[in-house]
Amino acid sequence: MPEKKLRKKEKYDKRNALNDLSGREWLLLTKSIWISEKNGDDKFAFQHPAPFLINDIRKLIRFFTKENMVVLDPFCGSGTTLVASARENRKGIGIDLNKKYCQMSRKRLQDLKLKKNQQVIYGDSLKKTSEIKGKIDYCVTSPPYHNILRHNGGGLRDAKNKNVRNGSRLGVEYYSNDKRDLGNQAQYKDFLRLLKEVMVEVYKKLREKKYCSIIISDFTVNKKETNASGDVIRLMQDIGFVFEGAVVLVQDNKPLYPFGYPYAYKMNHHHQYILNFKKS
Ligand SMILES: C[S@@+](CC[C@H](N)C(=O)[O-])C[C@H]1O[C@@H](n2cnc3c(N)ncnc32)[C@H](O)[C@@H]1O
């Protein structure tokens, strides 16, 4: 049945200023676990070391915005947020410090004929966010995970492998050598400080009562398991954001690595957290 016909049967509440969802659609997206969903258009992005999957971001955009609203991703990488934003008829702004990734985003949008209303900005999001004209309605993003790509095992996956996401890593690729790159901070505390500075700019641009989602997992810092998601929640609260909860984004298809075997327990991270915040 075409989507429009299905939608006609749904109940829409005129008081809903947040999104264009019916009560049923709204409810389904409030689950605290989501299974990450692949889509054919994701493949192009695997030239980037850590892309989102389009459908995961479409769901977030559908929940946190209405049609024609403005979505920002200050660490936009391969442009997945812009693809998702275009598919949901939202206006997208993506910023990335790496010129190659900006070109990748533009080509991706062009190939998919989704360029309309999507803007790719090359530069440091600390500076470029404050230069955005007007306000934004939603921010969804995922920063570099400190410097983990510089560890063994980081980098691009094997694109020749049929099941691309399960492919072994091709070798190490960092985002850039720029010292403003969050992935290039030797100290974890400097990574957190820089992330906070960028999110302060996002806070200023975000309209009142609107939301921001940060997608991140916990990871190891100097080989020690670190509660990065907790640290990000605290830094966002310091800025003034209200924490609205963490959704577990299950990534059950990832390969398993015997990190501690046969001596000690070392976990395989098979989920991300979608940390949701509100400016109120
Ligand atoms: C985890 S990746 C984002 C991937 C993206 N979600 C996607 O779907 O492709 C983080 C990105 O942040 C960028 N980055 C790091 N520091 C930055 C900064 N100061 N300003 C803008 N972009 C930055 C990196 O180049 C990298 O592409």
Side-chain angles (χ1 to χ4, degrees):
M1 200 185 288
E3 197 173 357
K4 271 205 173 142
K5 272 198 177 163
L6 268 177
R7 283 181 152 235
K8 268 196 183 158
K9 288 190 186 157
E10 306 263 344
K11 282 203 174 142
Y12 293 89
D13 192 316
K14 287 195 183 109
R15 293 168 301 177
N16 179 357
L18 178 60
N19 56 42
D20 299 322
L21 302 179
S22 67
R24 187 189 65 92
E25 292 163 328
W26 175 301
L27 202 60
L28 286 172
L29 291 178
T30 57
K31 276 192 186 180
S32 64
I33 47 163
W34 290 10
I35 309 295
S36 194
E37 278 180 49
K38 269 191 208 163
N39 166 305
D41 290 337
D42 291 321
K43 219 165 189 176
F44 180 92
F46 296 152
Q47 300 165 53
H48 185 285
F52 286 150
L53 296 187
I54 298 167
N55 283 345
D56 298 335
I57 307 308
R58 284 185 72 170
K59 286 200 268 185
L60 285 168
I61 290 176
R62 271 207 297 278
F63 195 89
F64 289 115
T65 58
K66 284 179 167 288
E67 238 180 43
N68 292 317
M69 283 187 170
V70 180
V71 177
L72 168 69
D73 185 344
F75 304 106
C76 120
S78 62
T80 315
T81 300
L82 302 183
V83 172
S85 162
R87 292 253 190 253
E88 295 296 332
N89 294 323
R90 272 60 166 179
K91 294 170 187 147
I93 304 172
I95 306 170
D96 204 284
L97 192 55
N98 185 318
K99 204 176 216 168
K100 193 175 84 183
Y101 298 149
C102 290
Q103 283 161 353
M104 195 190 282
S105 295
R106 290 193 188 105
K107 174 154 177 33
R108 195 173 182 197
L109 290 165
Q110 170 120 27
D111 289 355
L112 294 170
K113 301 192 172 33
L114 295 175
K115 268 172 65 182
K116 198 174 157 219
N117 288 331
Q118 307 307 314
Q119 191 186 358
V120 180
I121 301 173
Y122 163 56
D124 180 5
S125 47
L126 189 55
K127 182 164 179 285
K128 296 292 177 185
T129 303
S130 63
E131 291 172 4
I132 294 170
K133 291 196 179 77
K135 293 279 184 187
I136 60 162
D137 298 286
Y138 177 51
C139 169
V140 55
T141 197
S142 181
Y145 291 7
H146 183 221
N147 57 12
I148 60 169
L149 288 184
R150 290 183 177 267
H151 297 165
N152 284 344
L156 294 174
R157 290 165 201 272
D158 184 352
K160 289 186 204 91
N161 191 318
K162 206 168 144 230
N163 194 350
V164 182
R165 265 192 108 73
N166 289 347
S168 54
R169 298 284 188 173
L170 283 175
V172 176
E173 172 169 320
Y174 319 130
Y175 295 130
S176 73
N177 284 316
D178 196 309
K179 64 179 187 320
R180 299 166 300 174
D181 187 326
L182 272 68
N184 289 338
Q185 308 308 307
Q187 301 299 321
Y188 177 64
K189 66 173 175 19
D190 292 326
F191 155 75
L192 291 176
R193 180 184 45 76
L194 257 188
L195 177 60
K196 186 173 177 181
E197 285 173 18
V198 173
M199 296 320 293
V200 165
E201 296 307 321
V202 170
Y203 187 86
K204 290 185 204 158
K205 281 286 151 194
L206 193 63
R207 283 185 210 280
E208 302 297 318
K209 312 256 183 245
K210 294 292 182 183
Y211 292 83
C212 173
S213 304
I214 297 189
I215 301 181
I216 194 157
S217 72
D218 291 339
F219 49 81
T220 56
V221 176
N222 300 327
K223 299 198 176 151
K224 288 215 166 69
E225 186 66 25
T226 300
N227 182 218
S229 57
D231 290 334
V232 170
I233 292 168
R234 278 181 287 279
L235 78 79
M236 292 291 277
Q237 287 173 324
D238 282 352
I239 295 170
F241 282 103
V242 175
F243 177 51
E244 298 291 353
V247 174
V248 174
L249 183 64
V250 179
Q251 300 173 307
D252 213 14
N253 296 326
K254 283 168 72 174
L256 284 165
Y257 294 103
F259 294 120
Y261 181 80
Y263 303 108
Y265 173 70
K266 297 282 172 203
M267 84 162 17
N268 272 279
H269 291 270
H270 273 218
H271 69 277
Q272 307 282 319
Y273 294 107
I274 303 173
L275 307 176
N276 293 318
F277 302 92
K278 187 175 186 184
K279 175 174 176 174
S280 50

